[in-house]
């Protein structure tokens, strides 16, 4: 069975904090993705990675960075959290074309 | 980039009813997926269907790539079918472009 896990379901952070969101997949997938989902805006791609230590910007990378030191783990980093980064964050992975999603992390920045 | 439009945006059904959800896309695609997002936010793969027809239980999907649309059929709907249905496509590579979804509510 396909399995993508995310480190937290709910997270509350203060403005200015450094935030790490972790995503792990156990399917030996090459490609991993981070999206955010906001009401009325749908899912928007932040960053993706097609191999270890490789990363590419998605549509809305500003304010975020990523790290992929191991194939199974893809981390999203908010260097200095701001209230406009309050959102649902979804991680996904894929080998071919089919994307599989984790359960999501609902982040609130106060 | 590719534009994806879904219709209707909202749908309310009585349990047992059938429905058809539509996804139009603006360019040729090599990947099309349908997802169901449950009330807890989890996105679940329903179909990978860049062309042709597939069925899985009460759900089926058809993509007519030459006419740039896909349809998702839900038969004998149940309350557990409630949630948001997304269509997502790629024209090349691995970057999916999502539609804005159809919010479905199935009532008793």
């Amino acid at each position: 069975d396909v399995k993508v896990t995310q480190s937290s379901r709910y997270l509350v952070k203060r403005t200015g904090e450094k935030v790490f969101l972790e995503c792990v997949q156990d399917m030996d997938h090459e490609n991993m993705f981070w999206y955010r989902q906001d009401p009325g805006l749908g899912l928007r791609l932040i960053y993706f990675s097609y191999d270890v230590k490789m990363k590419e910007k998605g549509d809305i990378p500003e304010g975020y960075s990523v790290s992929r030191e191991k194939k199974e783990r893809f981390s999203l980093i908010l260097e200095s959290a701001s209230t406009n980064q309050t959102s649902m964050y979804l991680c996904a992975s894929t080998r071919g074309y089919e994307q599989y999603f984790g359960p999501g992390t609902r982040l609130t920045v106060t | 980039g590719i534009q994806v439009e879904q219709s209707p945006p909202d749908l309310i059904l009585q349990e047992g009813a059938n429905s058809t959800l539509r996804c139009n896309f603006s360019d040729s695609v090599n990947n099309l997926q349908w997802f169901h997002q449950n009330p807890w936010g989890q996105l679940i793969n329903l179909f990978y269907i860049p062309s042709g027809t597939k069925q899985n239980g009460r759900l089926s999907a058809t993509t007519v790539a030459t006419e740039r649309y896909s349809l998702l059929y839900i038969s004998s709907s149940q309350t557990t079918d409630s949630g948001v249905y997304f269509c997502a496509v790629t024209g090349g590579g691995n970057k999916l472009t999502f539609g804005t979804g159809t919010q479905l509510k199935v009532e008793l």
Side-chain angles (χ1 to χ4, degrees):
Chain A
D1 230 8
V2 170
K3 191 153 187 186
V4 181
T5 57
Q6 294 182 229
S7 49
S8 306
R9 290 302 307 272
Y10 300 94
L11 207 53
V12 179
K13 294 291 183 181
R14 294 275 182 102
T15 302
E17 278 193 80
K18 190 169 186 176
V19 181
F20 293 86
L21 302 182
E22 303 285 336
C23 175
V24 177
Q25 50 93 4
D26 66 355
M27 299 159 289
D28 200 36
H29 285 174
E30 289 91 0
N31 305 307
M32 297 186 74
F33 305 80
W34 275 106
Y35 297 87
R36 65 176 282 176
Q37 184 178 18
D38 301 287
L41 297 176
L43 275 82
R44 295 179 291 166
L45 182 64
I46 305 171
Y47 267 98
F48 67 101
S49 168
Y50 50 88
D51 203 349
V52 175
K53 297 191 186 296
M54 306 300 286
K55 61 185 179 184
E56 283 199 29
K57 293 179 180 179
D59 301 317
I60 52 163
E62 296 79 18
Y64 303 95
S65 61
V66 290
S67 172
R68 194 166 180 202
E69 297 297 320
K70 294 185 177 182
K71 191 174 186 179
E72 67 270 18
R73 187 181 297 270
F74 191 35
S75 302
L76 180 70
I77 304 157
L78 288 65
E79 295 289 342
S80 178
S82 64
T83 54
N84 64 12
Q85 292 178 309
T86 292
S87 186
M88 175 71 140
Y89 290 88
L90 292 158
C91 173
S93 73
T94 181
R95 173 179 288 144
Y97 286 120
E98 289 190 71
Q99 286 203 9
Y100 296 91
F101 282 82
T105 296
R106 194 167 293 280
L107 173 67
T108 301
V109 183
T110 61
Chain B
I2 293 180
Q3 305 298 311
V4 182
E5 291 184 357
Q6 291 186 242
S7 61
D10 299 281
L11 187 59
I12 300 175
L13 298 174
Q14 294 295 310
E15 198 173 43
N18 303 326
S19 63
T20 301
L21 281 57
R22 187 176 179 102
C23 172
N24 293 331
F25 42 95
S26 61
D27 207 341
S28 56
V29 299
N30 56 12
N31 178 12
L32 189 147
Q33 289 185 252
W34 283 98
F35 296 91
H36 174 220
Q37 188 169 37
N38 65 25
W40 298 272
Q42 173 79 60
L43 272 159
I44 299 162
N45 292 48
L46 297 177
F47 295 102
Y48 165 68
I49 186 166
S51 63
T53 297
K54 289 186 178 179
Q55 178 152 10
N56 184 3
R58 297 182 295 103
L59 301 181
S60 63
T62 295
T63 297
V64 184
T66 53
E67 297 187 23
R68 298 181 184 168
Y69 72 89
S70 183
L71 302 174
L72 177 70
Y73 306 97
I74 304 173
S75 64
S76 304
S77 58
Q78 300 175 359
T79 55
T80 51
D81 295 330
S82 297
V84 184
Y85 289 81
F86 288 102
C87 167
V89 304
T90 59
N94 289 299
K95 290 174 62 175
L96 279 175
T97 298
F98 282 78
T100 52
T102 292
Q103 175 87 51
L104 173 65
K105 185 176 181 181
V106 180
E107 298 177 334
L108 292 171

